[in-house]
Amino acid sequence: MLFIIGLGLGDERDITLRGLEAVKSCEKVYMESYTSLLSFGLDSHGLSNLEKLYGKTITLADREMVEEKAHHILEEARHSHVAFLVVGDPFGATTHTDLVVRAKKMGIHVQSVHNASVMNAIGICGLQLYRYGETVSIPFFTDSWRPDSFYEKIHSNRTMGLHTLCLLDIRVKEPTLESLARLGLVWFGLVYSTSSSWFYSLLMHFFFRGRKTYEPPRYMTINTAIEQLLEVVQERQQPAYTEDTQCVGFARLGSDDQMIIAGTMKQLQMVDFGAPLHCLVITGNTHPLEEEMLEFYRCRT
């Protein structure tokens, strides 16, 4: 059996009793480590807290393992109980849905244990959850890649007077450009090379000299997100928002030191929200009760 278990948003204590019982019944426990993170991160101290409470050794499952080597996890689930731990709720990312689909196609029984996620925890600011439109993701811009498909969704939400939750990019274990280039060179050589042994040896030298290398982890801040949002809107004749648009910034939602500040984009851009994870809500039309609640979080600068 495969258990997909939500851990909530704060620390190891946020798992539900039902989830904890499921973990304790499993022979193998994996923890997804790339779509989100608990408030203490994934350092050895954080993992030891999880392992001590759960009484199990935990294997970190990065993107490569989950998306390319999931069959190993599923093969284990054929013959024993396997837990797959997810920060927040199990179905907050499409990758987890894909894992369930593959398990069911293999005839593996799947049991889900739900928990709090950012999708409902944002209700703490007072903006009513049923007044949200489509959620968007804001990716890191690069010199050559500046996608802006999120803009049309924000525009649509604001046209209807709805709030927009912006999930901010997380880059964990991303291959370096050098690593990708080396891999590309090897594939090119394997496809187009002749039988020359020296050329093949050279290709293998490039490939095995360090294998894959990865960029350091990056977590988008609210400040960067607003900078990119304002950059995108400059190219629009009828902007969906401006630097004076009201927003709410969240940092470390669900933890003891969570930070929630309401203000304009211009005001929030000047705030130091501290450690990750961050997310941003662009407000739509607000009800008087929503406004009353937002006053408790209003930026005073």
Side-chain angles (χ1 to χ4, degrees), residues 1-6 18 22 81-84 90-91 100 104 108-114:
M1 178 184 291
L2 176 65
F3 290 91
I4 308 237
I5 302 169
R18 186 167 168 234
H81 286 185
V82 174
F84 187 77
F91 297 103
V100 171
K104 287 182 177 292
I108 299 169
H109 183 60
V110 179
Q111 186 170 329
S112 303
V113 182
H114 297 282

Side-chain angles (χ1 to χ4, degrees), residues 63-136:
R63 183 185 296 274
E64 182 177 341
M65 176 181 287
V66 176
E67 295 185 351
E68 300 176 19
K69 303 176 182 178
H71 60 280
H72 292 306
I73 299 174
L74 297 178
E75 280 298 327
E76 290 175 330
R78 275 185 184 273
H79 310 291
S80 62
H81 286 185
V82 174
F84 187 77
L85 310 181
V86 178
V87 176
D89 187 79
F91 297 103
T94 55
T95 296
H96 311 141
T97 303
D98 177 68
L99 189 64
V100 171
V101 169
R102 294 172 66 176
K104 287 182 177 292
K105 286 182 177 180
M106 292 173 63
I108 299 169
H109 183 60
V110 179
Q111 186 170 329
S112 303
V113 182
H114 297 282
N115 210 319
S117 77
V118 65
M119 305 296 286
N120 55 27
I122 53 174
I124 190 174
C125 73
L127 295 175
Q128 298 165 10
L129 294 178
Y130 66 87
R131 294 181 55 81
Y132 278 80
E134 187 172 357
T135 298
V136 303

Side-chain angles (χ1 to χ4, degrees), residues 193-235:
S193 67
T194 64
S195 59
S196 174
S197 60
W198 71 266
F199 185 62
Y200 182 80
S201 298
L202 180 63
L203 288 173
M204 290 301 99
H205 170 73
F206 274 107
F207 182 62
F208 288 108
R209 191 187 62 186
R211 299 277 185 161
K212 280 187 180 179
T213 55
Y214 300 95
E215 300 283 356
R218 297 175 64 200
Y219 305 97
M220 183 179 287
T221 64
I222 290 168
N223 317 78
T224 298
I226 292 175
E227 179 182 341
Q228 293 187 181
L229 284 163
L230 292 177
E231 176 184 323
V232 167
V233 83
Q234 288 177 358
E235 303 172 3

Side-chain angles (χ1 to χ4, degrees), residues 233-262:
V233 83
Q234 288 177 358
E235 303 172 3
R236 303 311 200 272
Q237 292 183 346
Q238 296 181 326
Y241 52 82
T242 69
E243 65 178 11
D244 295 319
T245 296
Q246 293 291 323
C247 298
V248 185
F250 302 83
R252 300 170 302 284
L253 193 56
S255 66
D256 292 336
D257 67 339
Q258 69 180 9
M259 190 173 180
I260 305 168
I261 298 181

